[in-house]
Amino acid sequence: MKWVLASIASFLTHQVAGHGGCLNYTVGDTWYPGYSPYDDPTPQVDAPWLPQRSWSTVDPIFETANHSLSCNVPGAPARAYIPIHAGSNLTAVYAYWVHTVGPMIAWLAHCPNDDCYTADSSTLDWFKIGEKGLQDGTIETGNWFQKTFSRWDGSPSLWSETVPKGLKQGRYLVRHEIISLHSANKPQFYPECANLEVLGEGDKYPDEKYLVKIPGVWSMDQPEINIDVYAPGISNSTVYKIPGPPVFTGET
């Protein structure tokens, strides 16, 4: 499996001119394909094997109120679902990630009537299942997970999060979001979404304090979003609080 992912990442690295994105997913040793913005969209649209919503560009979204912020551009629905048991890890596989500053957040949203194909991602109730930020050092030059996540040897960048243990079964959208803060007061948002089929006997679901709309959760009024990481008093800070609701682990 490792050599398969590495070869895919290496191949795509030669095609990407700037940024990257989530290209596929793994659960254990099973690989699930993602949408490729570099290939012909025709065979991918409504493909019965594709669990990831379409994203047509590696360019970021800049506006916190952009309708496409939930699942990227154009964010068209996918047909397939990734089966995963609550309490298991889902790994998002990226290639050619170049940025180093800012948080990375994984979200879930339950699809009405367990139908993610007809779900409008911008109206769903999203909740965090994991977040990774500044690990050590200062905001400007420290080790963010986004920095250590990057690979320059052609191997894929891997981001794993756990589906909350005991989460009620059903069909969900999973959203992986990277927020890059390297441009002063001009945050860059990189989201991708895919369909999950959560299995198990759990009955847990987050209450209102965990739930947000996307767009809606981010604002340029938030100092953690509208930030100049090079400014005096900020650049040398060793604390960055990831904004938004708390992470739902299924244990609270």
Side-chain angles (χ1 to χ4, degrees):
M1 180 56 60
K2 290 182 178 179
W3 72 266
V4 172
L5 297 177
S7 64
I8 292 172
S10 180
F11 172 72
L12 290 174
T13 294
H14 291 87
Q15 302 187 62
V16 182
H19 312 104
C22 180
L23 300 172
N24 47 67
Y25 305 85
T26 63
V27 178
D29 292 328
T30 305
W31 169 80
Y32 297 92
Y35 184 90
S36 174
Y38 320 109
D39 297 329
D40 183 358
T42 303
Q44 300 184 81
V45 174
D46 280 339
W49 46 265
L50 186 67
Q52 189 184 51
R53 290 198 167 200
S54 61
W55 53 289
S56 62
T57 176
V58 295
D59 293 333
I61 294 171
F62 292 103
E63 307 84 10
T64 59
N66 190 316
H67 181 81
S68 296
L69 188 61
S70 57
C71 287
N72 212 322
V73 181
R79 291 285 186 185
Y81 291 82
I82 298 171
I84 187 168
H85 283 85
S88 297
N89 289 337
L90 174 71
T91 299
V93 183
Y94 286 67
Y96 203 77
W97 191 256
V98 299
H99 301 311
T100 60
V101 178
M104 299 169 61
I105 306 169
W107 305 80
L108 284 182
H110 182 254
C111 296
N113 303 312
D114 278 339
D115 183 2
C116 294
Y117 186 78
T118 61
D120 182 346
S121 59
S122 68
T123 67
L124 300 181
D125 291 319
W126 293 93
F127 57 95
K128 290 180 181 179
I129 63 168
E131 59 185 17
K132 301 183 187 303
L134 183 62
Q135 299 175 119
D136 58 72
T138 67
I139 284 179
E140 181 182 354
T141 62
N143 289 313
W144 295 77
F145 179 77
Q146 189 176 152
K147 181 178 183 179
T148 58
F149 162 83
S150 301
R151 294 288 182 270
W152 294 95
D153 60 359
S155 63
S157 296
L158 305 178
W159 174 10
S160 294
E161 298 289 357
T162 302
V163 173
K165 185 176 181 180
L167 182 68
K168 73 173 185 177
Q169 66 179 351
R171 289 178 166 179
Y172 294 77
L173 279 178
V174 62
R175 177 178 183 270
H176 288 83
E177 175 180 42
I178 300 180
I179 305 175
S180 289
L181 302 174
H182 59 281
S183 295
N185 305 114
K186 194 174 184 179
Q188 299 181 7
F189 301 91
Y190 299 86
E192 276 92 38
C193 296
N195 297 337
L196 290 189
E197 176 106 36
V198 175
L199 308 172
E201 302 298 325
D203 60 359
K204 295 179 179 178
Y205 191 77
D207 60 30
E208 289 297 322
K209 73 178 180 180
Y210 295 98
L211 303 176
V212 297
K213 302 293 185 184
I214 303 175
V217 65
W218 306 136
S219 166
M220 292 301 284
D221 292 331
Q222 295 167 307
E224 303 90 352
I225 295 295
N226 187 8
I227 186 173
D228 179 355
V229 300
Y230 313 104
I234 295 177
S235 63
N236 62 350
S237 175
T238 58
V239 177
Y240 176 88
K241 182 182 182 300
I242 298 176
V247 172
F248 178 74
T249 63
E251 298 177 354
T252 58

